[in-house]
Amino acid sequence: MTETTHFDIALIGSGSANSFPGPEFAGRSIVQIDRGVGPDQVFGGTCINLGCIPTKMFVHTADLAHTPADSARFGLTEQLRHVDWPAIRDRIFGRIDAISVGGEEYRRDHEDNANLTLLRGTARFVGPKTLQVTGNDGSEGADRTISADTIVLGAGSRPVLPSIDGLAEAAPHTSDTIMRVEQLPASLAILGSGVIAVEMAHIFASLGVEVTLIARSQQVLSSADADVSARLTEILEQRLRLEKGLSTTSVRRTGDGIELRGEQDGAEVLIRAEELLVAVGRRPNSDLLDVAAAGIDTAADGRVEVDAHQRVLGDGEVLEGLWAFGDLSSAHQLKHVANHEQRIVRHNILHPEQLRRSDTMPVPSGVFSHPQVAWVGMDEEAARRSGREVRVAVQEYASIAYGWALEDTTGFAKIIIDAQTTEILGAHLIGAEATTLIQQLIQAMSTGQTARDIATTQYWIHPAMPELIENALLQLVP
């Protein structure tokens, strides 16, 4: 029988979880168990290694590469003569990989972590507050049984591979692998139409790859406001091959690449591409943790159930000493949500008599497609269903001076407010720098400022892009 090693705190994960240890816990023994992310099981979590940061570094490069396609309307002639994919890839991961390696070395060897034991492996519950750790190949974590008074779960999520005939055997790419390919494929089919799919479509199309985006629904980015989703769908239809309303039935890898078959409007469709990227969503790693063995509740999508203080629930009740945060338990797969929830967990463990809530701020979304998309709060349909009397303003980029400079004929901002109080209920943007422009509305919603407050109590730079927000607000509170 394997001997059980007891710790004061067991910490699962190395993404936002990696910010948990610190001098406040110097008197407690901590074991940090990390499976790693991606096929190489690297340390540091999804955001830095496989998600937010490398994708945005690729997006910036893609934005530069796309510039010649827009140059003619400005009276310029530009050409994209060459794409050095290895140089692009290695610039990005040359920086990121060093951070991952350094982070693991720090946790394992630095004197700051004298009270911390790092185990590289997969943890799974074998009972309440008891974990079996199966080590990564060659690691010291193999076949260890761990118990702890406090267990903090920050195990994250991973890409979903849907149950489609032949898909797994075809060895498609996911966001875990597509950014590290040896060379650019001549053509790429992308299965999915959400955030990751449209960002990857922008990246690879800008770099000269023939992209086919396969959407099961009739619009891309269906989680966005309906008008924003419709506008982005129109734009992508002009830029790449967009197959809407296509239900994939089978995938095969052939000597020439990938053959994907599906049904669309009652007819069979065949799509051929050199490579396939599957980007249909992510799933929490609760199944790898076998949380049921610890009596932990999960939602229908596998998320670990927590209360507003991030305490884990079992049979609807708080399970003392168990905490969870980030993609494992949150519907919002956003790094700053995970960071905030981790800070809440940390505070609440240190100060159990002064519990804080994690659900006090609106959660925004940003999509680094071309054009960018950003939103926060209710969409128009939800706001009208809420029973409130609402007012809605739509301001086109083309209506402001800086929009003229950009020659932007498709972008707009939509702001939704309570007609009586002018409380901002939601904001939705599509266009250049949408992810930056929306921040002033996020701040207003988070601090309790109304549309009237921010529209009438400050000067706005002229002519600059924030005038888009100013003019939309002035429609609502003239």
Side-chain angles (χ1 to χ4, degrees), residues 299-316:
D301 62 1
R303 285 179 293 114
V304 168
E305 295 278 22
V306 295
D307 69 0
H309 306 290
Q310 301 303 132
R311 296 178 296 187
V312 170
L313 303 179
D315 290 330

Side-chain angles (χ1 to χ4, degrees), residues 446-458:
S446 299
T447 59
Q449 291 180 292
T450 66
R452 182 172 286 109
D453 290 335
I454 62 173
T456 61
T457 60
Q458 62 181 317

Side-chain angles (χ1 to χ4, degrees), residues 203-241:
I203 291 169
F204 285 96
S206 296
L207 298 178
V209 177
E210 181 183 330
V211 172
T212 301
L213 191 62
I214 302 163
R216 189 170 57 181
S217 61
Q218 292 298 322
Q219 292 189 173
V220 303
L221 211 61
S222 58
S223 55
D225 178 86
D227 290 337
V228 170
S229 173
R231 182 62 55 86
L232 184 61
T233 301
E234 293 169 3
I235 292 169
L236 291 181
E237 283 184 304
Q238 298 171 18
R239 186 176 174 198
L240 46 80
R241 179 182 175 185

Side-chain angles (χ1 to χ4, degrees), residues 3 46 58 74 91 98 143-144 146 158 162 174 204 216 221 230-231 297 340 346 366-367 414 429 440 456 460 465 472:
E3 183 179 349
T46 297
F58 276 107
F74 297 98
R91 177 187 74 86
D143 302 321
R144 297 278 295 273
I146 301 296
R158 65 189 190 277
T174 68
F204 285 96
R216 189 170 57 181
L221 211 61
R231 182 62 55 86
D297 292 343
H340 174 67
R346 200 173 191 278
V367 186
K414 176 192 281 192
L429 281 74
Q440 57 197 316
T456 61
W460 299 72
M465 290 176 69

Side-chain angles (χ1 to χ4, degrees), residues 67 69-77 403-408:
T67 300
D70 290 332
S71 64
R73 57 184 173 176
F74 297 98
L76 303 172
T77 301
W404 306 346
L406 295 175
E407 290 290 334
D408 192 317

Side-chain angles (χ1 to χ4, degrees), residues 121 155 162 229 270 275 279 300 303-304 318 334 342 358 361 432 440 469:
S229 173
L270 172 63
E275 282 297 345
R303 285 179 293 114
V304 168
V318 170
L334 177 65
Q342 182 276 137
S358 62
M361 298 185 293
Q440 57 197 316
I469 305 302

